[in-house]
Amino acid sequence: MVVAAGSGSRLGAAVPKAFVPLAGVPLLGHALRGVLSCAAVSEVVLVVPAAQVDTAGAIAEAVCREVGARGVVTVVVGGAERGDSVAAGLGALSDGVEVVLVHDAARCLTPVAVFDRVVAAVEAGAVAVVPGTPVVDTVKQVDPDGVVVATPDRSTLRAVQTPQGFRRDVLVRAHATSSDATDDAGLVERLGEPVLVVDGDPRALKVTTSADLETAARLLGVTS
Ligand code: C5P
C-alpha cells in the first residue's frame, strides 16, 4: 500500500506532495517504481486525495508500462489523517493477501533492497518489521515548557522509515484499535506485539520540505 493522500502543507506546493515533480516525475511515480521493482509485491493499493484519483491512475499506468507490471494497481481515496488513509487502503486489499507493506509516497527514493529486507523478515516469521537507521543526534525528551526530562541512550534509538511490513491480520487488528500513531508500527506496539527493526537506508528520506526535495534531486543527480 502506498499512502499518498497527504496535502504536504510543509512543502508549500500548488499540488499535494505526492504529485510534486522531482526530475520531471511526480514523487508518487518514483515511489511506485520502487514498489513495483520489488519481486515480492503482487498488488498495489494507492491511497490518494479525492481530486487526484485520475491523475494517480495515469501515473500508475505509466510506471507499470515502464517496469513491465500489469493490472496490479488499485486507486482509493484517503482520509483526513494518515491512519484514516491506511485504513482505507486496508479495505481495498484482495482476499488472498497475507503480508502488507505500508509505504509513504513521500519516501519516494527508497531503494528496492529496503523493501526486500522488510519482506524477508516478515516471511521469516516477524509479525511487524520496520526499516530504521541509527540516530546521529543526541535526542532529548522535553516537557511542554521545553525543559529536558530525559536523554535516552542514543545507541538504543533508531529513526524509522517505510515500507513497514506486517502480517495482515496484525495490521488490521492494530487499526481497529486506534489510529493516532505517526506510524503503523506504533499501533502494533500498542497491541503488545513485537516490532522488529531491520536496516533502513538514508535514501529512504521523507520529502517534507523544499530542502528535502533538493536533497532528493541531488540523490538523482539532478537539480530541482
Ligand atoms: O504527513 P506525513 O509526511 O507524515 O505523511 C506521510 C505519508 O502519509 C505521505 O506519503 C502522505 O501522503 C501520507 N498521508 C496520507 N493521508 C493523510 C496524511 C498523510 O496518505 N491524511
Side-chain angles (χ1 to χ4, degrees):
M1 175 193 316
V2 181
V3 285
S7 63
S9 50
R10 288 166 291 186
L11 194 55
V15 289
K17 181 163 70 181
F19 299 86
V20 169
L22 167 65
V25 175
L27 298 190
L28 178 60
H30 289 284
L32 258 181
R33 196 186 290 141
V35 170
L36 291 169
S37 300
C38 175
V41 169
S42 59
E43 69 175 52
V44 179
V45 175
L46 275 184
V47 190
V48 303
Q52 306 292 334
V53 169
D54 291 346
T55 308
I59 293 168
E61 240 183 78
V63 178
C64 283
R65 218 176 306 120
E66 180 193 327
V67 303
R70 292 168 67 93
V72 291
V73 181
T74 308
V75 182
V76 300
V77 175
E81 304 294 335
R82 186 183 179 286
D84 303 323
S85 295
V86 175
L90 282 175
L93 289 174
S94 299
D95 284 349
V97 171
E98 287 178 4
V99 174
V100 181
L101 302 185
V102 183
H103 187 46
D104 289 344
R107 296 187 188 275
C108 58
L109 300 185
T110 303
V112 68
V114 178
F115 288 86
D116 292 342
R117 279 196 287 275
V118 171
V119 170
V122 180
E123 285 182 342
V127 299
V129 179
V130 301
T133 57
V135 172
V136 292
D137 294 318
T138 294
V139 175
K140 303 286 185 193
Q141 186 182 351
V142 295
D143 71 12
D145 299 321
V147 177
V148 172
V149 294
T151 304
D153 173 5
R154 189 171 63 187
S155 69
T156 68
L157 299 176
R158 298 291 179 272
V160 304
Q161 306 173 325
T162 70
Q164 300 192 344
F166 305 93
R167 253 187 25 215
R168 179 185 186 162
D169 58 316
V170 171
L171 185 60
V172 168
R173 202 150 42 87
H175 272 271
T177 313
S178 50
S179 68
D180 60 339
T182 50
D183 74 341
D184 301 287
L187 301 177
V188 170
E189 287 157 44
R190 287 181 203 164
L191 294 179
E193 295 283 358
V195 176
L196 177 70
V197 179
V198 296
D199 285 347
D201 191 296
R203 289 168 289 180
L205 82 158
K206 185 165 74 168
V207 173
T208 305
T209 63
S210 50
D212 299 329
L213 202 54
E214 283 164 23
T215 303
R218 271 198 306 279
L219 287 172
L220 286 176
V222 297
T223 48
S224 61

